[in-house]
Amino acid sequence: MNKKLVAKTVNPHGVIDRIKSQNADKEVFRIGISANLGGHTRELYSGVGLAVQEYLNEEERAYNIELLWEESSFEQGSTRRAANLLVNRGAEAIIGHLSANQSLVAASIYSDIGIPFLAPGTTHPLLTEQGYDNILRVCGRDENMASEMVKFAKKLVCNNQLQIVYQQNNYGEQLSMLLKRSIKEKGLHVKKSLIISENVIADIDNEDTILFAGTYEGAVLLTEQIKKSNFRGAVIFGDDIFVADFPILINDSKQLYTVSTKKELYSVNYEEFSKKYSELACMNPAAYSVTSYLAAKILLKNIEILKKEGYKKLVNRLKSGVLIGNKEISFSPNGDVLDFEWDIYRIKNKGFLNVNRSDL
């Protein structure tokens, strides 16, 4: 993400340095986190940081926790370097690598070493389809998100024809393909499929319903053009734009929506979570805040199993189910979280307002 598009500085150490273990008599358990310095990275380290902070407040806890941070980028060499540095620094488990480019590269390194890898923001289907036995995905998958985007678009469109605008990168092309498949399955049609450009709005009719497949930066480019046009249709984005900055930076007078993580995911009391998270992160929660928090909670609750029985036993037990709060979270044999829930949000009043509830 272009740092000019980030409303507040991304600084993992600002949070990590506040997470301090006080009891010197306890063994230290080290958790590695890594991502590029984008808006979603705040969600990763703040969600993990909040879960760690809560764990350290428990009087009966068995371990001190040290968070290790290494920056990675979309370039494969950078991701390999970050993953290897985390391993060399003693990370015993990893949470992170939010993008598919980074996660798919890092996964093989953690698998070879034999440490658990919890991914709270990688929606690309391939992550859990490569046969690795150390991966748990604590977020949804792109094909399910595409289905939810099209299902909502069907309620808005008048003529059964949908417009796709996508970016020429792995994420955009993958999501675009899945959107086309879902559109066909739901008896709709693709009017056009356009690559995002500086003047893509010229090829879009004013009343179209658009499905956008791409990243935060591409979405900003599209909304900037819409703001200057007579466009009166609707745009439905995927979850990459569910970043606290996005509603602040755009004109939200248009019909702009996103499909993203349900706020009250699994056992989370979102009102309470949001208050604690905002105090730590100095920003509102977004797409991967809750998933990063839950990934860390799952890991922290089961350190003893990892220490005594190894990562394979840990991952296999977690697949069968782990109780977090009053809700059991379980995973498929491949490592995908089960019963993941999406929701629809409208971008309005400088925030993300839930379409299915009273927010609007």
Side-chain angles (χ1 to χ4, degrees):
M1 183 186 297
N2 187 331
K3 292 182 182 179
K4 292 180 181 179
L5 300 180
V6 179
K8 291 198 177 184
T9 304
V10 175
N11 179 17
H13 291 290
V15 169
I16 291 170
D17 289 347
R18 291 161 60 187
I19 308 297
K20 299 294 184 183
S21 299
Q22 302 299 324
N23 294 0
D25 59 326
K26 296 183 185 295
E27 183 181 351
V28 175
F29 182 82
R30 295 178 175 85
I31 301 173
I33 56 176
S34 180
N36 61 301
L37 291 182
H40 286 303
T41 306
R42 281 190 300 259
E43 300 154 38
L44 170 64
Y45 63 71
S46 298
V48 172
L50 178 56
V52 170
Q53 194 172 67
E54 290 177 350
Y55 175 83
L56 293 176
N57 289 338
E58 297 175 9
E59 292 184 6
E60 302 302 319
R61 63 184 170 84
Y63 297 90
N64 282 336
I65 305 297
E66 182 180 357
L67 291 177
L68 308 176
W69 159 260
E70 288 293 342
E71 180 183 349
S72 53
S73 73
F74 295 114
E75 196 272 316
Q76 290 190 4
S78 169
T79 299
R80 290 193 187 94
R81 176 181 175 277
N84 283 312
L85 281 172
L86 288 176
V87 171
N88 291 339
R89 291 176 65 189
E92 298 170 83
I94 305 294
I95 303 174
H97 294 288
L98 296 175
S99 79
N101 284 350
Q102 295 172 58
S103 293
L104 292 172
V105 170
S108 63
I109 295 171
Y110 303 135
S111 177
D112 289 343
I113 298 297
I115 58 176
F117 175 26
L118 287 81
T122 302
T123 53
H124 198 295
L126 273 181
L127 180 66
T128 51
E129 295 176 0
Q130 300 179 97
Y132 298 127
D133 61 3
N134 65 322
I135 291 179
L136 295 174
R137 188 205 306 268
V138 194
C139 62
R141 289 170 57 108
D142 280 335
E143 66 266 39
N144 302 122
M145 181 171 68
S147 177
E148 293 294 325
M149 290 171 70
V150 176
K151 185 191 301 182
F152 182 63
K154 191 172 183 177
K155 297 178 181 179
L156 303 179
V157 71
C158 298
N159 56 7
N160 282 349
Q161 294 196 56
L162 297 170
Q163 181 88 271
I164 293 177
V165 177
Y166 72 98
Q167 279 180 280
Q168 280 189 302
N169 56 27
N170 286 342
Y171 177 67
E173 291 169 355
Q174 164 81 6
L175 184 54
S176 173
M177 178 194 71
L178 293 170
L179 286 169
K180 289 176 184 176
R181 181 191 302 170
S182 186
I183 287 169
K184 184 176 180 181
E185 289 172 351
K186 290 177 172 57
L188 303 174
H189 304 282
V190 178
K191 181 179 180 180
K192 290 179 186 176
S193 184
L194 302 170
I195 299 171
I196 185 69
S197 66
E198 295 290 343
N199 195 33
V200 71
I201 196 67
D203 294 318
I204 298 172
D205 293 336
N206 289 341
E207 304 291 339
D208 280 343
T209 298
I210 301 170
L211 294 167
F212 180 75
T215 65
Y216 174 102
E217 286 184 310
V220 170
L221 177 59
L222 178 60
T223 56
E224 285 175 344
Q225 295 178 51
I226 287 174
K227 182 166 53 178
K228 299 173 185 176
S229 73
N230 294 319
F231 182 77
R232 297 181 298 276
V235 184
I236 303 168
F237 300 97
D239 68 348
D240 198 69
I241 67 104
F242 199 141
V243 179
D245 310 86
F246 192 75
I248 299 170
L249 297 172
I250 67 168
N251 182 336
D252 62 6
S253 63
K254 307 292 185 177
Q255 291 188 73
L256 305 178
Y257 302 90
T258 180
V259 171
S260 191
T261 305
K262 182 179 179 180
K263 289 181 177 179
E264 300 82 9
L265 193 66
Y266 301 113
S267 61
V268 172
N269 178 326
Y270 194 77
E271 185 176 347
E272 181 181 329
F273 167 80
S274 181
K275 180 180 178 181
K276 292 179 180 178
Y277 177 94
S278 298
E279 288 173 355
L280 184 68
C282 300
M283 292 287 276
N284 291 329
Y288 308 137
S289 303
V290 171
T291 56
S292 297
Y293 173 77
L294 286 172
K297 295 284 279 188
I298 290 167
L299 176 63
L300 292 165
K301 187 179 177 69
N302 293 279
I303 295 174
E304 203 69 42
I305 298 174
L306 176 61
K307 285 284 197 179
K308 291 182 177 179
E309 303 184 48
Y311 81 92
K312 290 186 179 181
K313 286 284 182 68
L314 169 69
V315 171
N316 286 334
R317 287 201 187 187
L318 293 179
K319 286 178 180 179
S320 299
V322 56
L323 192 67
I324 301 295
N326 60 1
K327 180 74 173 181
E328 185 175 78
I329 303 175
S330 54
F331 299 81
S332 73
N334 283 348
D336 287 307
V337 69
L338 299 176
D339 302 319
F340 186 84
E341 294 182 275
W342 304 90
D343 227 329
I344 311 293
Y345 303 90
R346 184 167 183 180
I347 302 162
K348 195 173 180 66
N349 299 332
K350 303 301 181 185
F352 294 98
L353 306 183
N354 197 300
V355 170
N356 298 318
R357 291 175 177 77
S358 59
D359 291 351
L360 288 173

